[in-house]
């Protein structure tokens, strides 16, 4: 993993990091709240040399040196049981000497004859009294050991220099320190949690990781769009104006361009759109890819190859009375079941039809391959196939087609599932054209969608009127007529065709000085009982601005 991956992991799991930090603060506060408070008070005693009657006066400073030499001895004596017993007797408590010694801490500032006694207690008063009583008990013990036992009988003793003051706040627990430690530990645990999740996460997230780990090209990255859901899979022209819809349209155009330039000499004409498992959006990708290809002016046929859970009819608003299975069963011909999309020009649809009991055998039949070959002669065929790992139908269709697009849901599908799906397609000699990363984040650190809000600005009515070019005047340029189905040709206005479908209409004589508009021939009603299959296909799929190249019959894959 690179540094960028670690940074993305921290951004992805920021909520967990914040939650664990807050949890650490709460634990620190709770621990401080349940502890018994301990108060500390200190009293200072100084080692002094008492003058003795009749003793010679020594040099100045000699007493200080003598007092400092006794400090180590008195520090040891301050920890005796005798001192603790005298302090307990002075306070009138029945605590054991050992427990009192544990509550005492001795300090000696360097280079001074001062002994500082720090005492702790459950209350401020008990800590203060114990510190003073300990200094007094040390003085009495010195008098007994180095003097006659009378107070002040020892030549060198310890005198109380500063009495203990009443503490205002407990010395333990330190609430601020507890909060700081809890917060740091919680933050560290959050960081560790995020990194462990990032290392162990096998879900597909970024296109760079897909190409690096799987070695498959990512031919398209489609963002999450609120306009596309289960009830409305097809992105229509009315669904525009939002950033997500604009990014979705641009991503589909990028996918269309990548497919067109994937193999310039022999571009794929039959493309299967599948996924590893259900719920990755392969039907949505198939429908919108077909609509985007058709928007370029080339005829496209969207075939519903999911004979278990067909969705194409609902997606494009077609009728599902008869379809692909009826053609394969020999009940109807392919020209009888091709429907035109009302919302997308140049897009023809073949729905699933009657659900068979053996979908895999039906899709793997020789007749299915012949149907795809016939359609591919006249249009680009997009087949919506079932998931590869769920059933074998997707792999069977991939063998029949020129290639397969593997739809992967970002943040949901794991690399293991994608590798298994690719292996399943390769076992049947299917060609994987690439991966389509679906539902990628539009913004954020993990966004793989390269899009800019570069939409044309809307002009006012007056501005549109002033800026309208002269070439846009009515009848100044030929218009491309919408495609007409064979059963709709009779309803076409102002056109009467008596010659065959491929014949050109006679030129209309125009008065002198009047421009004429080039009329385009409208396909006539085709008598399917007498016309060839190619002529029927041409009549059904006509309407493209550029005629697609005819493809020769493909050989059977081994």
């Amino acid at each position: 993993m690179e540094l960028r991956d670690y940074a993305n992991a921290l951004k992805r799991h920021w909520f967990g990091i914040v939650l664990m930090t807050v949890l650490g603060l709460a634990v620190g506060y709770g621990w401080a709240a349940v502890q018994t408070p301990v108060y500390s008070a200190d009293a200072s005693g100084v080692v002094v040399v008492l003058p003795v009657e009749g003793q010679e006066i020594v040099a100045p400073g000699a007493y200080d040196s003598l007092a400092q030499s006794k400090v180590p001895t008195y520090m040891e004596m301050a920890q005796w049981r005798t001192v603790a017993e005298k302090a307990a007797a002075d306070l009138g408590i029945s605590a054991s000497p050992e427990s009192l010694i544990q509550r005492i801490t001795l300090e000696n500032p360097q280079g001074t004859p001062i002994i500082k006694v720090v005492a702790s207690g459950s209350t401020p008063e008990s800590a203060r009294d114990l510190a003073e009583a300990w200094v007094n008990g040390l003085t009495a013990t010195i008098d007994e050991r180095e003097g006659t036992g009378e107070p002040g009988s020892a030549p060198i003793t310890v005198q109380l220099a500063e009495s203990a003051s009443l503490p205002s706040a407990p010395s333990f627990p330190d609430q601020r320190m507890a909060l700081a430690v809890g917060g740091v530990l919680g933050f560290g645990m959050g960081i560790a949690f995020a990194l462990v999740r990032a290392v162990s996460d096998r879900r597909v997230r970024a296109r760079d990781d897909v190409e690096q780990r799987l070695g498959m090209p990512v031919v398209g990255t489609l963002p999450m769009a609120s306009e596309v859901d289960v009830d409305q899979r097809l992105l229509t022209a009315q669904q525009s104006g939002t950033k997500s819809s604009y990014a979705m349209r641009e991503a589909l155009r990028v996918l269309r361009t990548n497919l067109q330039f994937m193999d310039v000499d022999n571009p794929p004409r039959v493309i299967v759109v599948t996924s590893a498992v259900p719920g990755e959006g392969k039907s949505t990708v198939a429908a919108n890819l077909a609509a985007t290809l058709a928007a370029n002016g080339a005829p496209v046929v969207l075939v519903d190859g999911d004979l278990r859970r067909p969705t194409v009819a609902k997606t494009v608003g077609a009728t599902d009375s008869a379809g692909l299975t009826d053609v394969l069963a020999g009940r109807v011909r392919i020209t009888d079941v091709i429907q035109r999309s009302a919302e997308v020009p140049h897009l023809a649809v073949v729905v699933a039809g009657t659900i068979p009991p053996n979908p895999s055998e039906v899709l793997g039949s020789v007749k299915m391959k012949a149907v795809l070959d016939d359609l591919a002669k006249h249009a680009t065929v997009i087949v919506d196939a079932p998931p590869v790992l769920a059933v074998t139908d997707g792999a069977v269709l991939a063998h029949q087609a020129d290639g397969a697009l593997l739809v992967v849901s970002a943040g949901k599908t794991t690399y293991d599932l994608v590798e298994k799906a690719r292996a399943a397609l390769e076992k049947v000699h299917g060609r994987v054209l690439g991966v389509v990363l679906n539902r990628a984040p539009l913004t954020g650190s993990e966004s793989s969608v390269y899009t800019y809000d570069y939409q044309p600005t809307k002009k006012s009515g007056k501005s549109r009127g002033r800026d309208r070019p002269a070439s846009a005047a009515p009848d100044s340029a030929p218009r491309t007529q919408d495609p007409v189905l064979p059963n709709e040709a009779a309803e076409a206005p102002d056109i009467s065709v008596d010659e065959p479908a491929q014949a050109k209409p006679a030129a209309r004589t125009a008065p002198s000085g009047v421009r004429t508009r080039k009329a385009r021939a409208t396909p006539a009603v085709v008598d399917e009982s007498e016309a060839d299959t190619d002529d029927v296909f041409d009549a059904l799929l006509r309407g493209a601005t550029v005629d697609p190249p005819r493809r020769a019959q493909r050989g059977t894959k081994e």
Side-chain angles (χ1 to χ4, degrees), residues 358-379:
N358 53 344
S360 299
E361 290 75 9
V362 172
L363 296 175
S365 62
V366 178
K367 194 167 185 179
M368 177 65 186
K369 185 176 184 305
V371 169
L372 294 178
D373 287 336
D374 291 339
L375 290 174
K377 293 178 182 178
H378 310 272

Side-chain angles (χ1 to χ4, degrees), residues 166-453:
L166 192 67
S168 59
S171 59
F172 177 84
D174 189 349
Q175 192 173 24
R176 292 183 179 179
M177 182 61 67
L179 290 175
V181 172
V184 170
L185 292 178
F187 181 75
M189 292 179 63
I191 296 293
F193 167 78
L195 296 181
V196 169
R197 286 291 302 273
V199 173
S200 60
D201 190 6
R202 295 284 299 168
R203 289 176 291 181
V204 177
R205 294 190 179 278
R207 61 177 300 158
D208 297 338
D209 296 338
V210 174
E211 296 176 349
Q212 181 179 1
R213 293 191 184 187
L214 301 177
M216 293 190 299
V218 178
V219 296
T221 303
L222 306 182
M224 289 186 295
S226 58
E227 293 81 4
V228 177
D229 53 17
V230 178
D231 298 329
Q232 180 63 39
R233 289 188 173 94
L234 189 61
L235 190 63
T236 60
Q238 290 77 14
Q239 296 171 324
S240 60
T242 62
K243 184 178 181 180
S244 60
S245 63
Y246 176 74
M248 184 72 171
R249 296 179 188 277
E250 290 300 318
L252 288 169
R253 295 187 182 104
V254 171
L255 176 58
R256 177 185 65 191
T257 304
N258 292 338
L259 290 177
Q260 291 174 345
F261 289 92
M262 184 170 293
D263 192 349
V264 179
D265 296 331
N266 187 22
R269 299 281 286 174
V270 180
I271 302 174
V272 169
V273 180
T274 183
S275 61
V277 292
E280 299 189 64
K282 53 94 181 174
S283 298
T284 302
V285 173
N288 287 281
L289 174 60
T292 306
L293 290 172
N296 201 29
V300 180
V301 179
L302 176 60
V303 179
D304 194 347
D306 192 346
L307 303 185
R308 301 176 189 267
R309 295 180 180 178
T311 58
V312 170
K314 180 180 178 182
T315 300
V316 300
T319 59
D320 56 354
S321 57
L324 178 62
T325 56
D326 301 285
V327 176
L328 300 178
R331 290 191 289 266
V332 294
R333 286 180 294 181
I334 187 64
T335 54
D336 298 328
V337 297
I338 292 180
Q339 305 180 49
R340 299 301 298 271
S341 174
E343 298 179 352
V344 182
H346 314 299
L347 176 61
V349 178
V350 177
V351 299
T354 307
I355 304 299
N358 53 344
S360 299
E361 290 75 9
V362 172
L363 296 175
S365 62
V366 178
K367 194 167 185 179
M368 177 65 186
K369 185 176 184 305
V371 169
L372 294 178
D373 287 336
D374 291 339
L375 290 174
K377 293 178 182 178
H378 310 272
T380 301
V381 182
I382 304 297
V383 182
D384 179 16
V388 176
L389 300 182
V391 290
T392 61
D393 303 2
V396 171
L397 284 172
H399 175 74
Q400 305 276 40
D402 293 333
L405 291 177
L406 195 57
V407 179
V408 175
S409 181
K412 177 183 177 182
T413 311
T414 62
Y415 286 100
D416 300 331
L417 294 176
V418 179
E419 291 176 353
K420 291 180 181 178
R422 179 178 63 176
L425 294 176
E426 292 177 349
K427 286 181 181 179
V428 298
H429 305 286
R431 177 189 176 190
V432 180
L433 300 177
V435 174
V436 177
L437 191 60
N438 192 28
R439 299 168 185 167
L442 187 58
T443 58
S445 59
E446 296 183 356
S447 175
S448 299
V449 183
Y450 301 100
T451 180
Y452 301 91
D453 195 9

